[in-house]
Every structure is written in structure tokens, then in C-alpha cells.
């Protein structure tokens, strides 16, 4: 499958571009004038179209057993609610604070996954989770007017963690492209149904994108969803756990840098807010680096 120039055929480059594009979604969410539910409806609709075209180009069939389709659509619905809360939080507190809160998904996963899968708790993750909680407390403390937005961002992080756990039950059974197609298509149908009921008889102004919104929506769907997902899937087939974990945890940093450069955020932050953000990001990066190092040691030992 051709994904771009020769440099893009390197898995390391593919993964970092995909993570960069995932971080860029926060910027696009801030630029698009639509509310969270309507914004996500357009995103999943356009993304479903893109995945459908990609399936046809690859001559892959999207046909699955009905029970599995319903399972995939159900997980897609959780993903959609994650996106809705993510974009709603961005409208309330901005991309940077939202991305920092989203980084806590790593430790939410550490708390929730053992309850669902039965694996043992990892003490290191629980300890670093306490640091994350302290960092989020400082963000609450120094941005009191944004507490509702921060809570919504934390809910988005919890949903992101849940999606990752649920996806583990199906990713080994079907191609990622087929899963993405059904998640986007099913979610689009459900969202259109929801909007048809809730928006009946109301002005259509809030449902229609502004002219410039179409450009941002196209980038969000085709570049940051279709293209980024396929880059990530292709790259992860060839990379070690060390490379994968470190790269994925760079998403908040990429997003914060972009928010600073493109939107002018983070230029007048209080020391307490900066400390809170650093505590969260530091815990995430430390956990990622340590986990990757342990995976590398195990791989080297087995190889020896």
C-alpha cells in the first residue's frame, strides 16, 4: 500500500507523523465553529467515506458476522463519545489543558484494565498515577474557572482508556481498516439519528459548517483520521514496544507545541498550572520510557 514518498515508507517516520496528526486534531477542534456532537458527526461521516474508498482500493471486503459488526459499532460509539467530550473540553479550556488531561488515560487504563481483564495491578503505574492526580489537582487549583471543562477532559481520557481496552478484544480478529470502517459508519448512522430527534424543529444554523469549516473538517477526517490511522497501523507492524510506546506518548507534547505556535496559547501561564502540566506529562513519559526499557531488556534476554 502506497502511503507517500519514499521517506514515509520508514516505520519510525510513519508512526511519528501519525502521532503528530493525532495531536493536530486538538488544533482543528479549536478552529471548527461547530459544537461537539455535530463536529464529530461530520468527522465520522467523512471518515467512513474515506475508509470505504480505501477498502475498495485495497479490494478488501467489509463483510463481517452481524454480531461482530454490532460489537465493533458499540466500541465505535464509545470512541465517538470520547471525541465529543474531547472537542467539548477544547472549546471550554483550550487544546493544551485538554491534552494534558487526556495524557492521564495511561493511568486510568492501569486502574481499569485489571478490573476488566483480570491482570495484576502494577505498583509503579499506581504510584505514578498519584503524581498524575497531584498534577491535575494543581491544574484545578490554578484554573478554577475551567473546572467543568477539566472534568469533561478527564471523562474523555477515561473513555479513551476504555476504547483502548475494548479494542484489544477485536484487533487480532479482523483487519484494522475493516474495523475502522464499521466503527465510523455505525457511529455516523447513530449520530445522525440522534441529531434528527434532538434538532427536530430547531434552526439548522448550528448544524451547518461555515465555509472555512469544510477545510478543517476535511483535514480532520481524511488526514488526521483516515491517513493517520493507516500510517499508525502500518508502522506498528514493524516497530518494537520501545519505539511504539515512546512515540505515542508524544501526542500531548506535539499538541501543546502546535497550540502555542498556531493559536498563541501558553504564553501567560501561572507557575502552578505549568507545574501541574509538567507533573502529568513527566509521569506519562517516565512510565513510557521505563515500560519500553523493560520490554527491550526482555526482548534482548529472549534473543540471547
Amino acid at each position: 500500500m502506497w502511503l507517500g514518498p519514499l521517506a514515509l515508507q520508514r516505520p519510525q517516520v510513519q508512526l511519528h507523523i501519525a502521532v503528530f496528526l493525532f495531536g493536530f486534531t486538538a488544533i482543528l477542534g479549536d478552529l471548527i465553529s461547530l459544537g461537539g456532537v455535530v463536529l464529530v458527526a461530520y468527522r465520522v461521516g467523512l471518515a467512513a467515506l474515506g475508509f470505504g474508498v480505501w477498502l475498495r482500493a485495497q479490494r478488501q471486503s467489509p463483510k463481517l458476522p452481524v454480531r461482530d459488526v454490532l460489537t465493533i459499532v458499540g466500541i465505535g460509539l464509545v470512541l465517538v463519545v470520547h471525541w465529543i467530550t474531547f472537542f467539548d473540553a477544547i472549546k471550554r479550556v483550550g487544546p493544551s489543558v485538554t491534552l494534558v488531561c487526556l495524557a492521564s488515560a495511561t493511568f486510568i487504563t492501569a486502574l481499569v484494565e485489571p478490573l476488566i481483564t483480570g491482570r495484576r495491578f502494577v505498583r509503579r503505574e499506581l504510584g505514578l498515577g498519584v503524581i498524575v492526580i497531584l498534577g491535575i489537582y494543581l491544574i484545578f487549583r490554578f484554573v478554577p474557572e475551567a473546572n467543568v471543562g477539566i472534568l469533561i477532559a478527564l471523562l474523555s481520557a477515561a473513555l479513551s482508556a476504555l476504547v483502548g481496552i475494548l479494542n484489544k478484544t477485536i484487533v487480532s480478529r479482523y483487519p484494522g481498516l475493516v474495523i475502522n470502517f464499521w466503527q465510523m459508519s455505525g457511529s455516523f448512522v447513530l449520530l445522525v439519528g440522534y441529531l434528527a430527534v434532538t434538532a427536530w424543529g430547531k434552526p439548522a444554523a448550528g448544524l451547518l459548517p461555515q465555509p472555512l469549516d469544510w477545510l478543517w473538517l476535511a483535514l480532520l477526517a481524511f488526514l488526521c483520521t483516515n491517513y493517520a490511522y493507516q500510517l499508525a497501523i502500518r508502522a506498528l507492524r514493524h516497530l518494537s514496544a520501545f519505539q511504539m510506546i515512546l512515540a505515542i506518548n508524544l501526542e500531548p507534547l506535539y499538541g501543546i507545541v502546535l497550540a502555542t505556535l498556531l493559536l498563541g496559547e501558553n504564553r501567560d501561564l501561572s507557575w502552578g498550572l505549568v507545574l501541574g502540566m509538567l507533573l502529568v506529562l513527566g509521569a506519562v513519559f517516565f512510565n513510557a520510557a521505563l515500560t519500553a526499557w523493560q520490554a527491550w531488556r526482555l526482548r534482548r534476554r529472549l534473543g540471547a
Side-chain angles (χ1 to χ4, degrees):
M1 178 171 59
W2 184 84
L3 290 170
L6 183 61
L8 287 184
Q9 305 309 309
R10 295 179 61 87
Q12 296 89 344
V13 176
Q14 292 172 348
L15 182 58
H16 278 281
I17 290 177
V19 173
F20 179 85
L21 292 175
F22 293 150
F24 191 54
T25 60
I27 309 303
L28 294 173
D30 189 69
L31 293 173
I32 296 170
S33 65
L34 299 170
V37 177
V38 179
L39 190 162
V40 173
Y42 279 101
R43 179 184 187 177
V44 296
L46 292 171
L49 176 63
F51 283 129
V53 171
W54 213 314
L55 274 172
R56 188 172 183 83
Q58 295 297 309
R59 297 183 179 178
Q60 294 186 40
S61 172
K63 292 183 179 180
L64 297 177
V66 174
R67 178 181 295 181
D68 290 342
V69 169
L70 294 176
T71 299
I72 292 170
V73 170
I75 298 172
L77 187 58
V78 179
L79 174 64
V80 160
V81 179
H82 154 62
W83 281 346
I84 291 172
T85 52
F86 175 70
F87 289 122
D88 188 47
I90 288 172
K91 302 293 185 183
R92 294 172 182 268
V93 296
S96 295
V97 174
T98 300
L99 286 166
V100 168
C101 293
L102 194 65
S104 66
T106 302
F107 300 101
I108 295 174
T109 302
L111 293 174
V112 175
E113 187 174 13
L115 300 177
I116 294 177
T117 64
R119 77 166 176 88
R120 298 176 63 182
F121 287 97
V122 179
R123 291 182 181 179
R124 181 192 74 246
E125 293 177 345
L126 295 177
L128 290 172
V130 173
I131 297 176
V132 169
I133 292 171
L134 176 59
I136 291 172
Y137 167 76
L138 287 173
I139 295 173
F140 266 103
R141 177 71 175 79
F142 287 90
V143 197
E145 71 280 3
N147 284 354
V148 173
I150 294 171
L151 287 173
I152 293 173
L154 291 173
L155 173 60
S156 180
L159 291 169
S160 174
L162 182 59
V163 169
I165 294 169
L166 294 175
N167 269 335
K168 287 184 180 180
T169 64
I170 58 169
V171 292
S172 62
R173 297 166 58 189
Y174 299 109
L177 193 56
V178 175
I179 293 172
N180 291 332
F181 171 76
W182 281 114
Q183 286 182 337
M184 297 299 104
S185 300
S187 298
F188 177 67
V189 172
L190 293 172
L191 281 176
V192 168
Y194 171 80
L195 289 171
V197 172
T198 57
W200 184 264
K202 297 180 181 179
L207 302 176
L208 300 177
Q210 298 297 318
L212 193 57
D213 285 339
W214 284 109
L215 172 61
W216 307 137
L217 286 168
L219 291 175
L220 182 63
F222 301 134
L223 186 64
C224 296
T225 307
N226 293 145
Y227 188 62
Y229 272 50
Q230 290 310 299
L231 276 178
I233 290 172
R234 185 176 177 87
L236 293 179
R237 293 174 184 162
H238 306 285
L239 297 179
S240 67
F242 182 93
Q243 297 165 311
M244 178 186 71
I245 294 170
L246 286 181
I248 289 175
N249 280 276
L250 286 173
E251 179 184 345
L253 183 60
Y254 284 145
I256 291 169
V257 171
L258 286 170
T260 302
L261 295 176
L262 301 179
L263 304 177
E265 279 203 333
N266 310 320
R267 292 177 181 172
D268 299 304
L269 298 182
S270 66
W271 68 268
L273 179 56
V274 171
L275 179 59
M277 294 170 71
L278 288 176
L279 282 174
V280 175
L281 294 176
V284 170
F285 287 130
F286 177 78
N287 182 64
L290 191 55
T291 302
W293 178 69
Q294 290 174 338
W296 175 79
R297 283 190 63 190
L298 178 61
R299 184 178 179 182
R300 186 177 181 183
R301 186 182 306 166
L302 293 175

Short mmCIF file of all heavy atoms in Angstrom, two decimals, residues 210-262:
data_model
loop_
_atom_site.label_atom_id
_atom_site.label_comp_id
_atom_site.label_asym_id
_atom_site.label_seq_id
_atom_site.Cartn_x
_atom_site.Cartn_y
_atom_site.Cartn_z
N GLN A 210 -19.47 26.49 8.63
CA GLN A 210 -19.09 27.69 7.91
C GLN A 210 -18.19 27.28 6.74
O GLN A 210 -17.62 26.18 6.73
CB GLN A 210 -18.34 28.64 8.84
CG GLN A 210 -19.16 29.13 10.02
CD GLN A 210 -20.37 29.94 9.60
OE1 GLN A 210 -20.27 30.78 8.68
NE2 GLN A 210 -21.51 29.70 10.23
N PRO A 211 -18.06 28.14 5.72
CA PRO A 211 -17.25 27.75 4.56
C PRO A 211 -15.85 27.25 4.91
O PRO A 211 -15.40 26.23 4.39
CB PRO A 211 -17.17 29.06 3.74
CG PRO A 211 -18.46 29.76 4.07
CD PRO A 211 -18.73 29.45 5.52
N LEU A 212 -15.16 27.94 5.84
CA LEU A 212 -13.81 27.51 6.20
C LEU A 212 -13.83 26.22 7.01
O LEU A 212 -12.85 25.46 7.01
CB LEU A 212 -13.09 28.62 6.99
CG LEU A 212 -11.58 28.45 7.18
CD1 LEU A 212 -10.86 28.32 5.84
CD2 LEU A 212 -11.01 29.64 7.97
N ASP A 213 -14.94 25.96 7.71
CA ASP A 213 -15.05 24.72 8.49
C ASP A 213 -14.88 23.48 7.62
O ASP A 213 -14.37 22.45 8.08
CB ASP A 213 -16.41 24.64 9.19
CG ASP A 213 -16.49 25.57 10.39
OD1 ASP A 213 -15.44 25.96 10.92
OD2 ASP A 213 -17.62 25.90 10.81
N TRP A 214 -15.34 23.57 6.37
CA TRP A 214 -15.23 22.40 5.49
C TRP A 214 -13.77 22.00 5.27
O TRP A 214 -13.45 20.81 5.18
CB TRP A 214 -15.91 22.67 4.15
CG TRP A 214 -17.40 22.62 4.22
CD1 TRP A 214 -18.27 23.65 4.14
CD2 TRP A 214 -18.20 21.45 4.41
NE1 TRP A 214 -19.57 23.22 4.26
CE2 TRP A 214 -19.56 21.87 4.44
CE3 TRP A 214 -17.92 20.09 4.57
CZ2 TRP A 214 -20.62 20.98 4.60
CZ3 TRP A 214 -18.97 19.20 4.74
CH2 TRP A 214 -20.29 19.65 4.75
N LEU A 215 -12.90 22.99 5.18
CA LEU A 215 -11.47 22.68 5.03
C LEU A 215 -10.96 21.98 6.28
O LEU A 215 -10.27 20.94 6.18
CB LEU A 215 -10.69 23.97 4.79
CG LEU A 215 -9.15 23.83 4.81
CD1 LEU A 215 -8.68 22.87 3.72
CD2 LEU A 215 -8.48 25.19 4.67
N TRP A 216 -11.27 22.52 7.47
CA TRP A 216 -10.80 21.91 8.71
C TRP A 216 -11.40 20.52 8.90
O TRP A 216 -10.70 19.61 9.36
CB TRP A 216 -11.15 22.79 9.91
CG TRP A 216 -10.70 24.22 9.82
CD1 TRP A 216 -11.42 25.34 10.17
CD2 TRP A 216 -9.43 24.72 9.37
NE1 TRP A 216 -10.70 26.48 9.96
CE2 TRP A 216 -9.47 26.14 9.46
CE3 TRP A 216 -8.27 24.12 8.87
CZ2 TRP A 216 -8.39 26.94 9.10
CZ3 TRP A 216 -7.19 24.92 8.50
CH2 TRP A 216 -7.26 26.30 8.61
N LEU A 217 -12.68 20.35 8.54
CA LEU A 217 -13.31 19.03 8.66
C LEU A 217 -12.66 18.02 7.72
O LEU A 217 -12.48 16.85 8.08
CB LEU A 217 -14.81 19.14 8.37
CG LEU A 217 -15.66 19.78 9.46
CD1 LEU A 217 -17.07 20.10 8.93
CD2 LEU A 217 -15.76 18.88 10.68
N ALA A 218 -12.34 18.46 6.51
CA ALA A 218 -11.68 17.56 5.56
C ALA A 218 -10.32 17.12 6.10
O ALA A 218 -9.95 15.94 6.01
CB ALA A 218 -11.53 18.24 4.21
N LEU A 219 -9.55 18.06 6.64
CA LEU A 219 -8.27 17.71 7.24
C LEU A 219 -8.45 16.77 8.43
O LEU A 219 -7.69 15.80 8.59
CB LEU A 219 -7.53 18.98 7.68
CG LEU A 219 -7.02 19.90 6.57
CD1 LEU A 219 -6.42 21.17 7.17
CD2 LEU A 219 -5.98 19.20 5.71
N LEU A 220 -9.45 17.05 9.25
CA LEU A 220 -9.71 16.23 10.44
C LEU A 220 -10.07 14.80 10.05
O LEU A 220 -9.59 13.83 10.67
CB LEU A 220 -10.84 16.86 11.26
CG LEU A 220 -11.24 16.17 12.56
CD1 LEU A 220 -10.07 16.17 13.54
CD2 LEU A 220 -12.45 16.86 13.18
N ALA A 221 -10.91 14.64 9.04
CA ALA A 221 -11.39 13.30 8.66
C ALA A 221 -10.38 12.55 7.80
O ALA A 221 -10.00 11.42 8.12
CB ALA A 221 -12.71 13.43 7.90
N PHE A 222 -9.93 13.19 6.71
CA PHE A 222 -9.12 12.46 5.73
C PHE A 222 -7.64 12.39 6.14
O PHE A 222 -6.98 11.38 5.90
CB PHE A 222 -9.25 13.10 4.35
CG PHE A 222 -10.66 13.12 3.84
CD1 PHE A 222 -11.21 14.27 3.27
CD2 PHE A 222 -11.46 11.99 3.92
CE1 PHE A 222 -12.52 14.29 2.80
CE2 PHE A 222 -12.77 12.00 3.46
CZ PHE A 222 -13.30 13.15 2.90
N LEU A 223 -7.13 13.46 6.74
CA LEU A 223 -5.71 13.48 7.10
C LEU A 223 -5.48 12.92 8.51
O LEU A 223 -4.67 12.02 8.71
CB LEU A 223 -5.17 14.91 7.02
CG LEU A 223 -3.66 15.08 7.23
CD1 LEU A 223 -2.88 14.38 6.12
CD2 LEU A 223 -3.30 16.57 7.27
N CYS A 224 -6.24 13.44 9.51
CA CYS A 224 -5.99 13.08 10.91
C CYS A 224 -6.73 11.83 11.35
O CYS A 224 -6.52 11.36 12.48
CB CYS A 224 -6.38 14.24 11.82
SG CYS A 224 -5.39 15.72 11.56
N THR A 225 -7.60 11.29 10.50
CA THR A 225 -8.29 10.05 10.84
C THR A 225 -7.92 8.95 9.85
O THR A 225 -7.23 8.00 10.20
CB THR A 225 -9.83 10.25 10.87
OG1 THR A 225 -10.15 11.35 11.72
CG2 THR A 225 -10.52 9.00 11.39
N ASN A 226 -8.34 9.08 8.58
CA ASN A 226 -8.05 8.04 7.59
C ASN A 226 -6.54 7.80 7.44
O ASN A 226 -6.05 6.69 7.64
CB ASN A 226 -8.62 8.43 6.23
CG ASN A 226 -10.14 8.46 6.19
OD1 ASN A 226 -10.74 9.28 5.51
ND2 ASN A 226 -10.80 7.59 6.95
N TYR A 227 -5.83 8.85 7.08
CA TYR A 227 -4.40 8.71 6.78
C TYR A 227 -3.59 8.38 8.03
O TYR A 227 -2.74 7.47 8.02
CB TYR A 227 -3.89 10.00 6.14
CG TYR A 227 -2.49 9.92 5.61
CD1 TYR A 227 -2.16 9.04 4.59
CD2 TYR A 227 -1.49 10.74 6.13
CE1 TYR A 227 -0.86 8.97 4.08
CE2 TYR A 227 -0.19 10.68 5.63
CZ TYR A 227 0.10 9.79 4.61
OH TYR A 227 1.39 9.72 4.12
N ALA A 228 -3.88 9.07 9.13
CA ALA A 228 -3.11 8.85 10.36
C ALA A 228 -3.31 7.44 10.89
O ALA A 228 -2.36 6.78 11.33
CB ALA A 228 -3.49 9.88 11.42
N TYR A 229 -4.55 6.94 10.86
CA TYR A 229 -4.82 5.59 11.37
C TYR A 229 -4.08 4.55 10.54
O TYR A 229 -3.52 3.59 11.09
CB TYR A 229 -6.33 5.31 11.34
CG TYR A 229 -7.06 5.74 12.58
CD1 TYR A 229 -6.90 7.01 13.11
CD2 TYR A 229 -7.93 4.88 13.23
CE1 TYR A 229 -7.58 7.42 14.25
CE2 TYR A 229 -8.61 5.27 14.38
CZ TYR A 229 -8.44 6.54 14.88
OH TYR A 229 -9.09 6.94 16.02
N GLN A 230 -4.08 4.72 9.23
CA GLN A 230 -3.41 3.73 8.39
C GLN A 230 -1.90 3.80 8.53
O GLN A 230 -1.21 2.77 8.51
CB GLN A 230 -3.83 3.93 6.93
CG GLN A 230 -5.27 3.56 6.66
CD GLN A 230 -5.63 2.18 7.20
OE1 GLN A 230 -5.05 1.18 6.80
NE2 GLN A 230 -6.57 2.13 8.13
N LEU A 231 -1.35 5.01 8.69
CA LEU A 231 0.08 5.13 8.96
C LEU A 231 0.44 4.41 10.25
O LEU A 231 1.43 3.67 10.31
CB LEU A 231 0.48 6.60 9.07
CG LEU A 231 0.79 7.37 7.79
CD1 LEU A 231 1.12 8.82 8.13
CD2 LEU A 231 1.94 6.74 7.02
N ALA A 232 -0.35 4.64 11.29
CA ALA A 232 -0.06 4.04 12.60
C ALA A 232 -0.14 2.51 12.53
O ALA A 232 0.74 1.81 13.04
CB ALA A 232 -1.03 4.58 13.65
N ILE A 233 -1.19 1.99 11.90
CA ILE A 233 -1.36 0.54 11.81
C ILE A 233 -0.20 -0.09 11.04
O ILE A 233 0.36 -1.11 11.44
CB ILE A 233 -2.71 0.21 11.14
CG1 ILE A 233 -3.85 0.56 12.09
CG2 ILE A 233 -2.77 -1.28 10.76
CD1 ILE A 233 -5.23 0.45 11.45
N ARG A 234 0.17 0.55 9.94
CA ARG A 234 1.26 0.01 9.12
C ARG A 234 2.59 0.05 9.88
O ARG A 234 3.37 -0.90 9.85
CB ARG A 234 1.38 0.82 7.83
CG ARG A 234 2.39 0.28 6.83
CD ARG A 234 2.36 1.10 5.55
NE ARG A 234 3.36 0.65 4.60
CZ ARG A 234 3.19 -0.31 3.72
NH1 ARG A 234 2.05 -0.95 3.67
NH2 ARG A 234 4.16 -0.65 2.87
N ALA A 235 2.84 1.15 10.62
CA ALA A 235 4.10 1.30 11.34
C ALA A 235 4.21 0.31 12.49
O ALA A 235 5.27 -0.26 12.73
CB ALA A 235 4.24 2.73 11.85
N LEU A 236 3.10 0.10 13.22
CA LEU A 236 3.16 -0.73 14.42
C LEU A 236 3.45 -2.19 14.11
O LEU A 236 3.83 -2.95 15.01
CB LEU A 236 1.84 -0.60 15.19
CG LEU A 236 1.58 0.78 15.80
CD1 LEU A 236 0.25 0.81 16.51
CD2 LEU A 236 2.70 1.19 16.74
N ARG A 237 3.28 -2.60 12.86
CA ARG A 237 3.61 -3.97 12.49
C ARG A 237 5.13 -4.23 12.50
O ARG A 237 5.56 -5.37 12.56
CB ARG A 237 3.07 -4.27 11.08
CG ARG A 237 1.55 -4.28 10.98
CD ARG A 237 1.13 -4.44 9.53
NE ARG A 237 -0.31 -4.36 9.37
CZ ARG A 237 -0.92 -4.13 8.20
NH1 ARG A 237 -0.18 -3.99 7.12
NH2 ARG A 237 -2.23 -4.08 8.13
N HIS A 238 5.91 -3.15 12.43
CA HIS A 238 7.35 -3.30 12.24
C HIS A 238 8.19 -2.74 13.38
O HIS A 238 9.41 -2.86 13.35
CB HIS A 238 7.79 -2.61 10.93
CG HIS A 238 7.02 -3.06 9.73
ND1 HIS A 238 7.23 -4.29 9.12
CD2 HIS A 238 6.01 -2.47 9.03
CE1 HIS A 238 6.40 -4.41 8.09
NE2 HIS A 238 5.65 -3.33 8.01
N LEU A 239 7.55 -2.10 14.37
CA LEU A 239 8.31 -1.43 15.42
C LEU A 239 8.27 -2.20 16.73
O LEU A 239 7.33 -2.95 17.00
CB LEU A 239 7.76 -0.01 15.64
CG LEU A 239 7.87 0.94 14.45
CD1 LEU A 239 7.27 2.30 14.80
CD2 LEU A 239 9.32 1.10 14.01
N SER A 240 9.28 -1.97 17.54
CA SER A 240 9.34 -2.60 18.86
C SER A 240 8.44 -1.85 19.83
O SER A 240 7.98 -0.73 19.55
CB SER A 240 10.78 -2.56 19.38
OG SER A 240 11.17 -1.22 19.64
N ALA A 241 8.21 -2.47 20.99
CA ALA A 241 7.41 -1.81 22.02
C ALA A 241 8.08 -0.51 22.47
O ALA A 241 7.40 0.48 22.77
CB ALA A 241 7.24 -2.75 23.22
N PHE A 242 9.41 -0.49 22.51
CA PHE A 242 10.15 0.70 22.92
C PHE A 242 9.80 1.89 22.02
O PHE A 242 9.44 2.97 22.49
CB PHE A 242 11.66 0.41 22.84
CG PHE A 242 12.52 1.55 23.27
CD1 PHE A 242 12.96 1.65 24.57
CD2 PHE A 242 12.92 2.53 22.37
CE1 PHE A 242 13.77 2.71 24.98
CE2 PHE A 242 13.71 3.58 22.75
CZ PHE A 242 14.14 3.67 24.07
N GLN A 243 9.90 1.69 20.72
CA GLN A 243 9.62 2.77 19.77
C GLN A 243 8.15 3.17 19.81
O GLN A 243 7.80 4.36 19.75
CB GLN A 243 10.03 2.35 18.36
CG GLN A 243 11.52 2.09 18.22
CD GLN A 243 11.83 1.33 16.95
OE1 GLN A 243 11.21 0.31 16.64
NE2 GLN A 243 12.81 1.80 16.20
N MET A 244 7.26 2.20 19.91
CA MET A 244 5.82 2.45 19.87
C MET A 244 5.37 3.27 21.07
O MET A 244 4.69 4.29 20.93
CB MET A 244 5.06 1.13 19.83
CG MET A 244 3.55 1.29 19.84
SD MET A 244 2.72 -0.32 19.96
CE MET A 244 3.10 -0.76 21.66
N ILE A 245 5.76 2.85 22.28
CA ILE A 245 5.27 3.49 23.49
C ILE A 245 5.77 4.92 23.60
O ILE A 245 5.02 5.85 23.91
CB ILE A 245 5.69 2.67 24.74
CG1 ILE A 245 4.99 1.32 24.73
CG2 ILE A 245 5.35 3.42 26.02
CD1 ILE A 245 5.51 0.34 25.76
N LEU A 246 7.06 5.13 23.32
CA LEU A 246 7.61 6.48 23.41
C LEU A 246 6.96 7.42 22.40
O LEU A 246 6.64 8.57 22.73
CB LEU A 246 9.12 6.45 23.20
CG LEU A 246 9.95 5.89 24.36
CD1 LEU A 246 11.44 5.94 24.02
CD2 LEU A 246 9.70 6.66 25.65
N ALA A 247 6.75 6.95 21.18
CA ALA A 247 6.18 7.81 20.15
C ALA A 247 4.74 8.19 20.48
O ALA A 247 4.35 9.37 20.39
CB ALA A 247 6.24 7.12 18.79
N ILE A 248 3.93 7.24 20.89
CA ILE A 248 2.52 7.51 21.16
C ILE A 248 2.36 8.51 22.30
O ILE A 248 1.46 9.36 22.28
CB ILE A 248 1.77 6.20 21.45
CG1 ILE A 248 1.65 5.38 20.16
CG2 ILE A 248 0.39 6.46 22.04
CD1 ILE A 248 1.04 4.01 20.34
N ASN A 249 3.24 8.44 23.28
CA ASN A 249 3.14 9.35 24.42
C ASN A 249 3.65 10.76 24.11
O ASN A 249 3.62 11.62 24.98
CB ASN A 249 3.88 8.77 25.62
CG ASN A 249 3.05 7.72 26.34
OD1 ASN A 249 2.21 8.02 27.17
ND2 ASN A 249 3.27 6.46 25.98
N LEU A 250 4.10 10.99 22.89
CA LEU A 250 4.47 12.34 22.48
C LEU A 250 3.27 13.15 22.00
O LEU A 250 3.40 14.36 21.77
CB LEU A 250 5.51 12.26 21.34
CG LEU A 250 6.93 11.85 21.74
CD1 LEU A 250 7.78 11.64 20.50
CD2 LEU A 250 7.56 12.90 22.64
N GLU A 251 2.10 12.53 21.85
CA GLU A 251 0.94 13.24 21.31
C GLU A 251 0.61 14.50 22.09
O GLU A 251 0.41 15.57 21.47
CB GLU A 251 -0.29 12.31 21.27
CG GLU A 251 -1.53 13.02 20.74
CD GLU A 251 -2.77 12.15 20.78
OE1 GLU A 251 -2.64 10.92 20.95
OE2 GLU A 251 -3.87 12.70 20.64
N PRO A 252 0.52 14.47 23.44
CA PRO A 252 0.22 15.73 24.14
C PRO A 252 1.26 16.81 23.90
O PRO A 252 0.92 17.99 23.76
CB PRO A 252 0.19 15.31 25.62
CG PRO A 252 -0.05 13.84 25.60
CD PRO A 252 0.63 13.34 24.36
N LEU A 253 2.54 16.41 23.85
CA LEU A 253 3.59 17.40 23.63
C LEU A 253 3.46 18.03 22.25
O LEU A 253 3.56 19.26 22.10
CB LEU A 253 4.96 16.74 23.78
CG LEU A 253 6.17 17.67 23.65
CD1 LEU A 253 6.13 18.76 24.69
CD2 LEU A 253 7.47 16.87 23.77
N TYR A 254 3.23 17.22 21.22
CA TYR A 254 3.03 17.76 19.88
C TYR A 254 1.86 18.75 19.87
O TYR A 254 1.95 19.83 19.29
CB TYR A 254 2.74 16.63 18.89
CG TYR A 254 3.94 15.80 18.47
CD1 TYR A 254 3.82 14.44 18.22
CD2 TYR A 254 5.19 16.38 18.31
CE1 TYR A 254 4.92 13.67 17.83
CE2 TYR A 254 6.29 15.64 17.93
CZ TYR A 254 6.14 14.27 17.69
OH TYR A 254 7.23 13.52 17.30
N GLY A 255 0.76 18.35 20.50
CA GLY A 255 -0.43 19.21 20.51
C GLY A 255 -0.18 20.52 21.23
O GLY A 255 -0.64 21.59 20.77
N ILE A 256 0.53 20.48 22.35
CA ILE A 256 0.80 21.70 23.12
C ILE A 256 1.71 22.64 22.33
O ILE A 256 1.51 23.86 22.29
CB ILE A 256 1.41 21.35 24.49
CG1 ILE A 256 0.35 20.67 25.36
CG2 ILE A 256 1.95 22.59 25.18
CD1 ILE A 256 0.90 20.06 26.63
N VAL A 257 2.73 22.08 21.68
CA VAL A 257 3.62 22.91 20.85
C VAL A 257 2.84 23.55 19.71
O VAL A 257 3.00 24.75 19.43
CB VAL A 257 4.79 22.06 20.31
CG1 VAL A 257 5.59 22.84 19.27
CG2 VAL A 257 5.71 21.63 21.45
N LEU A 258 1.98 22.78 19.06
CA LEU A 258 1.17 23.33 17.97
C LEU A 258 0.23 24.42 18.48
O LEU A 258 0.04 25.45 17.81
CB LEU A 258 0.37 22.21 17.30
CG LEU A 258 1.16 21.25 16.41
CD1 LEU A 258 0.30 20.06 16.02
CD2 LEU A 258 1.66 21.98 15.16
N ALA A 259 -0.38 24.19 19.66
CA ALA A 259 -1.28 25.20 20.23
C ALA A 259 -0.54 26.49 20.53
O ALA A 259 -1.08 27.59 20.35
CB ALA A 259 -1.95 24.65 21.49
N THR A 260 0.70 26.38 20.98
CA THR A 260 1.50 27.57 21.28
C THR A 260 1.86 28.32 20.01
O THR A 260 1.75 29.55 19.93
CB THR A 260 2.78 27.17 22.03
OG1 THR A 260 2.42 26.48 23.23
CG2 THR A 260 3.60 28.40 22.39
N LEU A 261 2.27 27.57 18.98
CA LEU A 261 2.73 28.20 17.74
C LEU A 261 1.59 28.74 16.89
O LEU A 261 1.69 29.83 16.32
CB LEU A 261 3.55 27.19 16.92
CG LEU A 261 4.87 26.72 17.55
CD1 LEU A 261 5.52 25.67 16.66
CD2 LEU A 261 5.82 27.89 17.77
N LEU A 262 0.49 27.98 16.81
CA LEU A 262 -0.58 28.33 15.88
C LEU A 262 -1.71 29.14 16.52
O LEU A 262 -2.36 29.95 15.84
CB LEU A 262 -1.17 27.06 15.25
CG LEU A 262 -0.18 26.19 14.46
CD1 LEU A 262 -0.89 24.96 13.90
CD2 LEU A 262 0.48 26.98 13.34
#
